[in-house]
Amino acid sequence: MNIVVLVKQVPDTSAERTLSRADHLLDREDADLVLDEINERAAEEALTLKETADAHITVVSMGPDSALDAIRKVLAMGADRAIHICDDRLRGADLLTTATVLAAAVRTVQDVDLVLAGNATTDGQAGAVPAVIAELLGLPQLTQVRQLTVEAGQVSAERETENGEATLKAPLPALVSVTEKINEPRYPSFKGIMAAKKKPVDTVDLDDLFPGADGAGFLVTRTRVVEAVLRPPRSAGIRITDDGSAGRQLVEHLIAQNLV
Amino acid sequence: MPDVLVLVDHDGERVHKSTYELLAAARRLGDPAAVVVGTPGTAARLKESLARHGATSVYVAESDEAGEFLATPAVDVLELAVRDACPAAVLVSATTDGREVAGRLAVRLDAGLLIDAVDLDSSGVVTQIVFGGAYTVRSEVTHGTPVIALRPGAVEPEEHPVAAMVRELVVPSVDPATSARITDRRASPAGDRPALTEAAVVVSGGRGVGGAEGFTVVEELADALGGAVGASRAAVDAGYYPHRFQVGQTGKTVSPQLYIALGISGAIQHLAGMQTSRTIVAVNKDAEAPVFGLADYGVVGDLFAVAPQLTEEVTARRAAP
């Protein structure tokens, strides 16, 4: 079985994130970059499948040189090889361009059975890239999955969203996006970290992925940022220490604000 | 006026409130045309309330298969409707399903996609709030029919009764090799509470709640206020409350009129998911908790004393004539 795991390096959510003044893009210089946590869970699911079936795991990531750190972490967890899409022309790529490029990289992997991804990145948070890649690759989408079974050419999954729970079934090949609930990712072992240094990483650019395509035409932007404004930070309002009547004071305040 | 297609979010019996919000936003751009994808008979049940909220036409795409596959029937139907109506824009709710449908539709149309809009003006410029409330960004689509996913609760629904013209569409047959089949469906065991992302009031509990049993206090206050229950990541990780209620950067982003944080210290992760709430109330024993830095009303105290008293007061006020 050939599994592709899509991963992304993102700014750490426990730190401040800023947009560059010049082009409204994420200021990566200032950001503390980490492998998006949800991707560790997607990788963990691939590694779990590998424990019971013969599987080869390819990690695919798009990003600048620094993304190699995120890739190495997944290789250290146990993935077999990686494709790193690195091209300055992709700086600021929107959701559709990102998905198109990732889909093209997946196509370069022979006989893919399963594409695994996180349900949403912690930076963009659009939550649509996995579905868009399924559309581009003509794969069934099993998204927002908290439990996954792959057996006899079929994938079945438990999906959970705000509208309820559902059981999904599809033939392979298929695309699966996982939620935080799916598993607890393993930590890379020292042996894994050492082994990861020797695992193959193919670095590719747009010309490799789209031979013969006119680069400028391919990167058509379909949206434009008109304005990006830093929101004023919220400031603290009233503060009281409970003397046994805080609940009553609070309700008066809420009534005054027309909130009750 | 050009048509603006609105994908109707429904449970087969009722239209979800988020659809009325889409119809209100659509009216800024043109005549809202509602698209109902469902099993036979669905549109007949929904048509009246759609017309009452301004849908001048209702596209009806019904088949037994429509409810059996994930996402693809809605994408297929919207694509057909766009070819038919040449709309000024397509609006869907930025729910989990809506985001995925919007993304796939934008690919089919080779069109610009804007997800998680909190506002939309008459020229089609969309407002988004990014990085958990750090920035307000305004964007527009420059290529193709704009596909816009609007965050539930962001725009006020409006009644605007019109006569709705019904137009039938045929649901294209689904290729089971490229679509996941839904073999079983269960409602979330959320009971009568409103959906977290749509609720006007959210009451969330954190690690300070102390355990799964402690969440009863959170639930009672939420119920008194007619609100939804949320939980911080710390509370979810500790197993106090299910993950689908997690508010924060790796959970749900909420933006209610009133957000009450009980026993939540206020890690950046959590604040990013709730700091665009209109009013924030925090109750925490620790006077140094970061959540107090952005709370409109902070109570330093024991949530097990403050929250039940608040519940009691709210219940009493609501019962009073």
Side-chain angles (χ1 to χ4, degrees), chain A residues 91-115:
Chain A
R91 181 174 152 76
D94 68 2
L95 192 159
L96 292 181
T97 299
T98 301
T100 305
V101 171
L102 288 170
V106 175
R107 281 198 198 96
T108 67
V109 181
Q110 296 289 308
D111 304 319
V112 173
D113 297 291
L114 195 61
V115 179

mmCIF file with all atom_site columns, all heavy atoms in Angstrom, chain A residues 91-115:
data_model
loop_
_atom_site.group_PDB
_atom_site.id
_atom_site.type_symbol
_atom_site.label_atom_id
_atom_site.label_alt_id
_atom_site.label_comp_id
_atom_site.label_asym_id
_atom_site.label_entity_id
_atom_site.label_seq_id
_atom_site.pdbx_PDB_ins_code
_atom_site.Cartn_x
_atom_site.Cartn_y
_atom_site.Cartn_z
_atom_site.occupancy
_atom_site.B_iso_or_equiv
_atom_site.pdbx_formal_charge
_atom_site.auth_seq_id
_atom_site.auth_comp_id
_atom_site.auth_asym_id
_atom_site.auth_atom_id
_atom_site.pdbx_PDB_model_num
ATOM 1   N N   . ARG A 1 91  ? 5.310  31.742 -2.877  1.00 0.00 ? 91  ARG A N   1
ATOM 2   C CA  . ARG A 1 91  ? 5.113  32.599 -1.709  1.00 0.00 ? 91  ARG A CA  1
ATOM 3   C C   . ARG A 1 91  ? 3.746  33.284 -1.827  1.00 0.00 ? 91  ARG A C   1
ATOM 4   O O   . ARG A 1 91  ? 3.430  33.882 -2.858  1.00 0.00 ? 91  ARG A O   1
ATOM 5   C CB  . ARG A 1 91  ? 6.227  33.644 -1.658  1.00 0.00 ? 91  ARG A CB  1
ATOM 6   C CG  . ARG A 1 91  ? 6.125  34.574 -0.474  1.00 0.00 ? 91  ARG A CG  1
ATOM 7   C CD  . ARG A 1 91  ? 7.350  35.488 -0.419  1.00 0.00 ? 91  ARG A CD  1
ATOM 8   N NE  . ARG A 1 91  ? 7.011  36.750 0.221   1.00 0.00 ? 91  ARG A NE  1
ATOM 9   C CZ  . ARG A 1 91  ? 6.849  36.906 1.529   1.00 0.00 ? 91  ARG A CZ  1
ATOM 10  N NH1 . ARG A 1 91  ? 7.015  35.892 2.339   1.00 0.00 ? 91  ARG A NH1 1
ATOM 11  N NH2 . ARG A 1 91  ? 6.524  38.087 2.024   1.00 0.00 ? 91  ARG A NH2 1
ATOM 12  N N   . GLY A 1 92  ? 2.931  33.144 -0.791  1.00 0.00 ? 92  GLY A N   1
ATOM 13  C CA  . GLY A 1 92  ? 1.616  33.784 -0.795  1.00 0.00 ? 92  GLY A CA  1
ATOM 14  C C   . GLY A 1 92  ? 0.575  33.037 -1.604  1.00 0.00 ? 92  GLY A C   1
ATOM 15  O O   . GLY A 1 92  ? -0.498 33.567 -1.871  1.00 0.00 ? 92  GLY A O   1
ATOM 16  N N   . ALA A 1 93  ? 0.873  31.793 -2.003  1.00 0.00 ? 93  ALA A N   1
ATOM 17  C CA  . ALA A 1 93  ? -0.097 31.012 -2.783  1.00 0.00 ? 93  ALA A CA  1
ATOM 18  C C   . ALA A 1 93  ? -1.400 30.885 -2.008  1.00 0.00 ? 93  ALA A C   1
ATOM 19  O O   . ALA A 1 93  ? -1.386 30.658 -0.804  1.00 0.00 ? 93  ALA A O   1
ATOM 20  C CB  . ALA A 1 93  ? 0.475  29.628 -3.073  1.00 0.00 ? 93  ALA A CB  1
ATOM 21  N N   . ASP A 1 94  ? -2.531 31.047 -2.717  1.00 0.00 ? 94  ASP A N   1
ATOM 22  C CA  . ASP A 1 94  ? -3.809 30.912 -2.026  1.00 0.00 ? 94  ASP A CA  1
ATOM 23  C C   . ASP A 1 94  ? -4.205 29.442 -1.935  1.00 0.00 ? 94  ASP A C   1
ATOM 24  O O   . ASP A 1 94  ? -3.477 28.553 -2.373  1.00 0.00 ? 94  ASP A O   1
ATOM 25  C CB  . ASP A 1 94  ? -4.888 31.783 -2.688  1.00 0.00 ? 94  ASP A CB  1
ATOM 26  C CG  . ASP A 1 94  ? -5.270 31.275 -4.075  1.00 0.00 ? 94  ASP A CG  1
ATOM 27  O OD1 . ASP A 1 94  ? -4.733 30.235 -4.523  1.00 0.00 ? 94  ASP A OD1 1
ATOM 28  O OD2 . ASP A 1 94  ? -6.112 31.927 -4.720  1.00 0.00 ? 94  ASP A OD2 1
ATOM 29  N N   . LEU A 1 95  ? -5.370 29.225 -1.358  1.00 0.00 ? 95  LEU A N   1
ATOM 30  C CA  . LEU A 1 95  ? -5.816 27.858 -1.078  1.00 0.00 ? 95  LEU A CA  1
ATOM 31  C C   . LEU A 1 95  ? -5.861 26.989 -2.340  1.00 0.00 ? 95  LEU A C   1
ATOM 32  O O   . LEU A 1 95  ? -5.370 25.858 -2.348  1.00 0.00 ? 95  LEU A O   1
ATOM 33  C CB  . LEU A 1 95  ? -7.210 27.970 -0.451  1.00 0.00 ? 95  LEU A CB  1
ATOM 34  C CG  . LEU A 1 95  ? -7.854 26.777 0.217   1.00 0.00 ? 95  LEU A CG  1
ATOM 35  C CD1 . LEU A 1 95  ? -8.931 27.262 1.175   1.00 0.00 ? 95  LEU A CD1 1
ATOM 36  C CD2 . LEU A 1 95  ? -8.433 25.795 -0.755  1.00 0.00 ? 95  LEU A CD2 1
ATOM 37  N N   . LEU A 1 96  ? -6.442 27.532 -3.421  1.00 0.00 ? 96  LEU A N   1
ATOM 38  C CA  . LEU A 1 96  ? -6.593 26.716 -4.627  1.00 0.00 ? 96  LEU A CA  1
ATOM 39  C C   . LEU A 1 96  ? -5.250 26.415 -5.268  1.00 0.00 ? 96  LEU A C   1
ATOM 40  O O   . LEU A 1 96  ? -5.014 25.303 -5.745  1.00 0.00 ? 96  LEU A O   1
ATOM 41  C CB  . LEU A 1 96  ? -7.521 27.410 -5.627  1.00 0.00 ? 96  LEU A CB  1
ATOM 42  C CG  . LEU A 1 96  ? -8.987 27.522 -5.204  1.00 0.00 ? 96  LEU A CG  1
ATOM 43  C CD1 . LEU A 1 96  ? -9.802 28.209 -6.285  1.00 0.00 ? 96  LEU A CD1 1
ATOM 44  C CD2 . LEU A 1 96  ? -9.586 26.165 -4.881  1.00 0.00 ? 96  LEU A CD2 1
ATOM 45  N N   . THR A 1 97  ? -4.356 27.394 -5.284  1.00 0.00 ? 97  THR A N   1
ATOM 46  C CA  . THR A 1 97  ? -3.026 27.157 -5.855  1.00 0.00 ? 97  THR A CA  1
ATOM 47  C C   . THR A 1 97  ? -2.272 26.138 -5.015  1.00 0.00 ? 97  THR A C   1
ATOM 48  O O   . THR A 1 97  ? -1.652 25.206 -5.541  1.00 0.00 ? 97  THR A O   1
ATOM 49  C CB  . THR A 1 97  ? -2.246 28.489 -5.948  1.00 0.00 ? 97  THR A CB  1
ATOM 50  O OG1 . THR A 1 97  ? -2.967 29.368 -6.798  1.00 0.00 ? 97  THR A OG1 1
ATOM 51  C CG2 . THR A 1 97  ? -0.852 28.270 -6.506  1.00 0.00 ? 97  THR A CG2 1
ATOM 52  N N   . THR A 1 98  ? -2.337 26.296 -3.697  1.00 0.00 ? 98  THR A N   1
ATOM 53  C CA  . THR A 1 98  ? -1.677 25.350 -2.794  1.00 0.00 ? 98  THR A CA  1
ATOM 54  C C   . THR A 1 98  ? -2.163 23.930 -3.049  1.00 0.00 ? 98  THR A C   1
ATOM 55  O O   . THR A 1 98  ? -1.359 23.001 -3.206  1.00 0.00 ? 98  THR A O   1
ATOM 56  C CB  . THR A 1 98  ? -1.985 25.737 -1.328  1.00 0.00 ? 98  THR A CB  1
ATOM 57  O OG1 . THR A 1 98  ? -1.517 27.068 -1.107  1.00 0.00 ? 98  THR A OG1 1
ATOM 58  C CG2 . THR A 1 98  ? -1.305 24.795 -0.345  1.00 0.00 ? 98  THR A CG2 1
ATOM 59  N N   . ALA A 1 99  ? -3.485 23.773 -3.135  1.00 0.00 ? 99  ALA A N   1
ATOM 60  C CA  . ALA A 1 99  ? -4.052 22.440 -3.343  1.00 0.00 ? 99  ALA A CA  1
ATOM 61  C C   . ALA A 1 99  ? -3.643 21.889 -4.711  1.00 0.00 ? 99  ALA A C   1
ATOM 62  O O   . ALA A 1 99  ? -3.348 20.695 -4.843  1.00 0.00 ? 99  ALA A O   1
ATOM 63  C CB  . ALA A 1 99  ? -5.575 22.503 -3.214  1.00 0.00 ? 99  ALA A CB  1
ATOM 64  N N   . THR A 1 100 ? -3.604 22.744 -5.720  1.00 0.00 ? 100 THR A N   1
ATOM 65  C CA  . THR A 1 100 ? -3.225 22.305 -7.072  1.00 0.00 ? 100 THR A CA  1
ATOM 66  C C   . THR A 1 100 ? -1.788 21.793 -7.085  1.00 0.00 ? 100 THR A C   1
ATOM 67  O O   . THR A 1 100 ? -1.476 20.766 -7.696  1.00 0.00 ? 100 THR A O   1
ATOM 68  C CB  . THR A 1 100 ? -3.387 23.482 -8.065  1.00 0.00 ? 100 THR A CB  1
ATOM 69  O OG1 . THR A 1 100 ? -4.716 23.973 -7.972  1.00 0.00 ? 100 THR A OG1 1
ATOM 70  C CG2 . THR A 1 100 ? -3.105 23.046 -9.496  1.00 0.00 ? 100 THR A CG2 1
ATOM 71  N N   . VAL A 1 101 ? -0.915 22.503 -6.391  1.00 0.00 ? 101 VAL A N   1
ATOM 72  C CA  . VAL A 1 101 ? 0.499  22.115 -6.342  1.00 0.00 ? 101 VAL A CA  1
ATOM 73  C C   . VAL A 1 101 ? 0.664  20.816 -5.542  1.00 0.00 ? 101 VAL A C   1
ATOM 74  O O   . VAL A 1 101 ? 1.392  19.901 -5.962  1.00 0.00 ? 101 VAL A O   1
ATOM 75  C CB  . VAL A 1 101 ? 1.331  23.270 -5.742  1.00 0.00 ? 101 VAL A CB  1
ATOM 76  C CG1 . VAL A 1 101 ? 2.757  22.831 -5.465  1.00 0.00 ? 101 VAL A CG1 1
ATOM 77  C CG2 . VAL A 1 101 ? 1.311  24.470 -6.676  1.00 0.00 ? 101 VAL A CG2 1
ATOM 78  N N   . LEU A 1 102 ? -0.021 20.724 -4.419  1.00 0.00 ? 102 LEU A N   1
ATOM 79  C CA  . LEU A 1 102 ? 0.067  19.493 -3.616  1.00 0.00 ? 102 LEU A CA  1
ATOM 80  C C   . LEU A 1 102 ? -0.474 18.299 -4.413  1.00 0.00 ? 102 LEU A C   1
ATOM 81  O O   . LEU A 1 102 ? 0.119  17.214 -4.407  1.00 0.00 ? 102 LEU A O   1
ATOM 82  C CB  . LEU A 1 102 ? -0.705 19.652 -2.301  1.00 0.00 ? 102 LEU A CB  1
ATOM 83  C CG  . LEU A 1 102 ? -0.069 20.581 -1.272  1.00 0.00 ? 102 LEU A CG  1
ATOM 84  C CD1 . LEU A 1 102 ? -1.039 20.842 -0.121  1.00 0.00 ? 102 LEU A CD1 1
ATOM 85  C CD2 . LEU A 1 102 ? 1.234  19.995 -0.720  1.00 0.00 ? 102 LEU A CD2 1
ATOM 86  N N   . ALA A 1 103 ? -1.591 18.515 -5.112  1.00 0.00 ? 103 ALA A N   1
ATOM 87  C CA  . ALA A 1 103 ? -2.178 17.433 -5.906  1.00 0.00 ? 103 ALA A CA  1
ATOM 88  C C   . ALA A 1 103 ? -1.195 16.981 -6.989  1.00 0.00 ? 103 ALA A C   1
ATOM 89  O O   . ALA A 1 103 ? -1.045 15.782 -7.248  1.00 0.00 ? 103 ALA A O   1
ATOM 90  C CB  . ALA A 1 103 ? -3.497 17.883 -6.525  1.00 0.00 ? 103 ALA A CB  1
ATOM 91  N N   . ALA A 1 104 ? -0.501 17.936 -7.601  1.00 0.00 ? 104 ALA A N   1
ATOM 92  C CA  . ALA A 1 104 ? 0.472  17.591 -8.647  1.00 0.00 ? 104 ALA A CA  1
ATOM 93  C C   . ALA A 1 104 ? 1.606  16.753 -8.066  1.00 0.00 ? 104 ALA A C   1
ATOM 94  O O   . ALA A 1 104 ? 2.092  15.811 -8.693  1.00 0.00 ? 104 ALA A O   1
ATOM 95  C CB  . ALA A 1 104 ? 1.019  18.869 -9.282  1.00 0.00 ? 104 ALA A CB  1
ATOM 96  N N   . ALA A 1 105 ? 2.021  17.081 -6.844  1.00 0.00 ? 105 ALA A N   1
ATOM 97  C CA  . ALA A 1 105 ? 3.092  16.300 -6.206  1.00 0.00 ? 105 ALA A CA  1
ATOM 98  C C   . ALA A 1 105 ? 2.617  14.892 -5.872  1.00 0.00 ? 105 ALA A C   1
ATOM 99  O O   . ALA A 1 105 ? 3.358  13.921 -6.032  1.00 0.00 ? 105 ALA A O   1
ATOM 100 C CB  . ALA A 1 105 ? 3.572  17.021 -4.940  1.00 0.00 ? 105 ALA A CB  1
ATOM 101 N N   . VAL A 1 106 ? 1.359  14.780 -5.434  1.00 0.00 ? 106 VAL A N   1
ATOM 102 C CA  . VAL A 1 106 ? 0.802  13.446 -5.132  1.00 0.00 ? 106 VAL A CA  1
ATOM 103 C C   . VAL A 1 106 ? 0.788  12.606 -6.415  1.00 0.00 ? 106 VAL A C   1
ATOM 104 O O   . VAL A 1 106 ? 1.089  11.415 -6.386  1.00 0.00 ? 106 VAL A O   1
ATOM 105 C CB  . VAL A 1 106 ? -0.620 13.547 -4.520  1.00 0.00 ? 106 VAL A CB  1
ATOM 106 C CG1 . VAL A 1 106 ? -1.226 12.161 -4.339  1.00 0.00 ? 106 VAL A CG1 1
ATOM 107 C CG2 . VAL A 1 106 ? -0.573 14.293 -3.186  1.00 0.00 ? 106 VAL A CG2 1
ATOM 108 N N   . ARG A 1 107 ? 0.468  13.251 -7.534  1.00 0.00 ? 107 ARG A N   1
ATOM 109 C CA  . ARG A 1 107 ? 0.417  12.519 -8.819  1.00 0.00 ? 107 ARG A CA  1
ATOM 110 C C   . ARG A 1 107 ? 1.773  11.929 -9.202  1.00 0.00 ? 107 ARG A C   1
ATOM 111 O O   . ARG A 1 107 ? 1.833  10.970 -9.966  1.00 0.00 ? 107 ARG A O   1
ATOM 112 C CB  . ARG A 1 107 ? -0.061 13.449 -9.944  1.00 0.00 ? 107 ARG A CB  1
ATOM 113 C CG  . ARG A 1 107 ? -1.542 13.659 -9.960  1.00 0.00 ? 107 ARG A CG  1
ATOM 114 C CD  . ARG A 1 107 ? -2.010 14.220 -11.324 1.00 0.00 ? 107 ARG A CD  1
ATOM 115 N NE  . ARG A 1 107 ? -3.333 14.799 -11.176 1.00 0.00 ? 107 ARG A NE  1
ATOM 116 C CZ  . ARG A 1 107 ? -3.555 16.097 -10.968 1.00 0.00 ? 107 ARG A CZ  1
ATOM 117 N NH1 . ARG A 1 107 ? -2.552 16.957 -10.932 1.00 0.00 ? 107 ARG A NH1 1
ATOM 118 N NH2 . ARG A 1 107 ? -4.785 16.537 -10.815 1.00 0.00 ? 107 ARG A NH2 1
ATOM 119 N N   . THR A 1 108 ? 2.858  12.500 -8.700  1.00 0.00 ? 108 THR A N   1
ATOM 120 C CA  . THR A 1 108 ? 4.181  11.976 -9.062  1.00 0.00 ? 108 THR A CA  1
ATOM 121 C C   . THR A 1 108 ? 4.501  10.694 -8.288  1.00 0.00 ? 108 THR A C   1
ATOM 122 O O   . THR A 1 108 ? 5.473  10.012 -8.608  1.00 0.00 ? 108 THR A O   1
ATOM 123 C CB  . THR A 1 108 ? 5.311  13.000 -8.788  1.00 0.00 ? 108 THR A CB  1
ATOM 124 O OG1 . THR A 1 108 ? 5.425  13.208 -7.376  1.00 0.00 ? 108 THR A OG1 1
ATOM 125 C CG2 . THR A 1 108 ? 5.064  14.319 -9.491  1.00 0.00 ? 108 THR A CG2 1
ATOM 126 N N   . VAL A 1 109 ? 3.709  10.380 -7.269  1.00 0.00 ? 109 VAL A N   1
ATOM 127 C CA  . VAL A 1 109 ? 3.927  9.145  -6.506  1.00 0.00 ? 109 VAL A CA  1
ATOM 128 C C   . VAL A 1 109 ? 3.152  8.027  -7.205  1.00 0.00 ? 109 VAL A C   1
ATOM 129 O O   . VAL A 1 109 ? 1.980  8.191  -7.524  1.00 0.00 ? 109 VAL A O   1
ATOM 130 C CB  . VAL A 1 109 ? 3.433  9.304  -5.045  1.00 0.00 ? 109 VAL A CB  1
ATOM 131 C CG1 . VAL A 1 109 ? 3.686  8.031  -4.243  1.00 0.00 ? 109 VAL A CG1 1
ATOM 132 C CG2 . VAL A 1 109 ? 4.116  10.497 -4.387  1.00 0.00 ? 109 VAL A CG2 1
ATOM 133 N N   . GLN A 1 110 ? 3.840  6.915  -7.436  1.00 0.00 ? 110 GLN A N   1
ATOM 134 C CA  . GLN A 1 110 ? 3.211  5.808  -8.162  1.00 0.00 ? 110 GLN A CA  1
ATOM 135 C C   . GLN A 1 110 ? 2.131  5.120  -7.321  1.00 0.00 ? 110 GLN A C   1
ATOM 136 O O   . GLN A 1 110 ? 2.331  4.874  -6.136  1.00 0.00 ? 110 GLN A O   1
ATOM 137 C CB  . GLN A 1 110 ? 4.280  4.754  -8.518  1.00 0.00 ? 110 GLN A CB  1
ATOM 138 C CG  . GLN A 1 110 ? 5.351  5.259  -9.469  1.00 0.00 ? 110 GLN A CG  1
ATOM 139 C CD  . GLN A 1 110 ? 4.832  5.461  -10.880 1.00 0.00 ? 110 GLN A CD  1
ATOM 140 O OE1 . GLN A 1 110 ? 4.230  4.572  -11.465 1.00 0.00 ? 110 GLN A OE1 1
ATOM 141 N NE2 . GLN A 1 110 ? 5.029  6.666  -11.420 1.00 0.00 ? 110 GLN A NE2 1
ATOM 142 N N   . ASP A 1 111 ? 1.036  4.766  -7.950  1.00 0.00 ? 111 ASP A N   1
ATOM 143 C CA  . ASP A 1 111 ? 0.008  3.901  -7.360  1.00 0.00 ? 111 ASP A CA  1
ATOM 144 C C   . ASP A 1 111 ? -0.366 4.265  -5.921  1.00 0.00 ? 111 ASP A C   1
ATOM 145 O O   . ASP A 1 111 ? -0.268 3.444  -5.015  1.00 0.00 ? 111 ASP A O   1
ATOM 146 C CB  . ASP A 1 111 ? 0.457  2.435  -7.388  1.00 0.00 ? 111 ASP A CB  1
ATOM 147 C CG  . ASP A 1 111 ? 0.802  1.980  -8.802  1.00 0.00 ? 111 ASP A CG  1
ATOM 148 O OD1 . ASP A 1 111 ? 0.059  2.355  -9.717  1.00 0.00 ? 111 ASP A OD1 1
ATOM 149 O OD2 . ASP A 1 111 ? 1.825  1.288  -8.972  1.00 0.00 ? 111 ASP A OD2 1
ATOM 150 N N   . VAL A 1 112 ? -0.786 5.481  -5.739  1.00 0.00 ? 112 VAL A N   1
ATOM 151 C CA  . VAL A 1 112 ? -1.182 5.924  -4.391  1.00 0.00 ? 112 VAL A CA  1
ATOM 152 C C   . VAL A 1 112 ? -2.514 5.268  -4.007  1.00 0.00 ? 112 VAL A C   1
ATOM 153 O O   . VAL A 1 112 ? -3.460 5.247  -4.791  1.00 0.00 ? 112 VAL A O   1
ATOM 154 C CB  . VAL A 1 112 ? -1.337 7.461  -4.346  1.00 0.00 ? 112 VAL A CB  1
ATOM 155 C CG1 . VAL A 1 112 ? -1.903 7.912  -3.012  1.00 0.00 ? 112 VAL A CG1 1
ATOM 156 C CG2 . VAL A 1 112 ? -0.002 8.121  -4.616  1.00 0.00 ? 112 VAL A CG2 1
ATOM 157 N N   . ASP A 1 113 ? -2.563 4.694  -2.816  1.00 0.00 ? 113 ASP A N   1
ATOM 158 C CA  . ASP A 1 113 ? -3.802 4.105  -2.309  1.00 0.00 ? 113 ASP A CA  1
ATOM 159 C C   . ASP A 1 113 ? -4.541 5.064  -1.384  1.00 0.00 ? 113 ASP A C   1
ATOM 160 O O   . ASP A 1 113 ? -5.759 5.089  -1.343  1.00 0.00 ? 113 ASP A O   1
ATOM 161 C CB  . ASP A 1 113 ? -3.488 2.815  -1.532  1.00 0.00 ? 113 ASP A CB  1
ATOM 162 C CG  . ASP A 1 113 ? -2.878 1.771  -2.432  1.00 0.00 ? 113 ASP A CG  1
ATOM 163 O OD1 . ASP A 1 113 ? -3.602 1.266  -3.302  1.00 0.00 ? 113 ASP A OD1 1
ATOM 164 O OD2 . ASP A 1 113 ? -1.671 1.492  -2.289  1.00 0.00 ? 113 ASP A OD2 1
ATOM 165 N N   . LEU A 1 114 ? -3.757 5.802  -0.612  1.00 0.00 ? 114 LEU A N   1
ATOM 166 C CA  . LEU A 1 114 ? -4.370 6.622  0.427   1.00 0.00 ? 114 LEU A CA  1
ATOM 167 C C   . LEU A 1 114 ? -3.598 7.935  0.565   1.00 0.00 ? 114 LEU A C   1
ATOM 168 O O   . LEU A 1 114 ? -2.364 7.924  0.637   1.00 0.00 ? 114 LEU A O   1
ATOM 169 C CB  . LEU A 1 114 ? -4.306 5.842  1.747   1.00 0.00 ? 114 LEU A CB  1
ATOM 170 C CG  . LEU A 1 114 ? -5.169 6.315  2.900   1.00 0.00 ? 114 LEU A CG  1
ATOM 171 C CD1 . LEU A 1 114 ? -6.660 6.254  2.526   1.00 0.00 ? 114 LEU A CD1 1
ATOM 172 C CD2 . LEU A 1 114 ? -4.917 5.439  4.123   1.00 0.00 ? 114 LEU A CD2 1
ATOM 173 N N   . VAL A 1 115 ? -4.339 9.044  0.568   1.00 0.00 ? 115 VAL A N   1
ATOM 174 C CA  . VAL A 1 115 ? -3.743 10.348 0.867   1.00 0.00 ? 115 VAL A CA  1
ATOM 175 C C   . VAL A 1 115 ? -4.287 10.754 2.231   1.00 0.00 ? 115 VAL A C   1
ATOM 176 O O   . VAL A 1 115 ? -5.499 10.790 2.436   1.00 0.00 ? 115 VAL A O   1
ATOM 177 C CB  . VAL A 1 115 ? -4.118 11.411 -0.186  1.00 0.00 ? 115 VAL A CB  1
ATOM 178 C CG1 . VAL A 1 115 ? -3.492 12.753 0.168   1.00 0.00 ? 115 VAL A CG1 1
ATOM 179 C CG2 . VAL A 1 115 ? -3.697 10.964 -1.580  1.00 0.00 ? 115 VAL A CG2 1
#
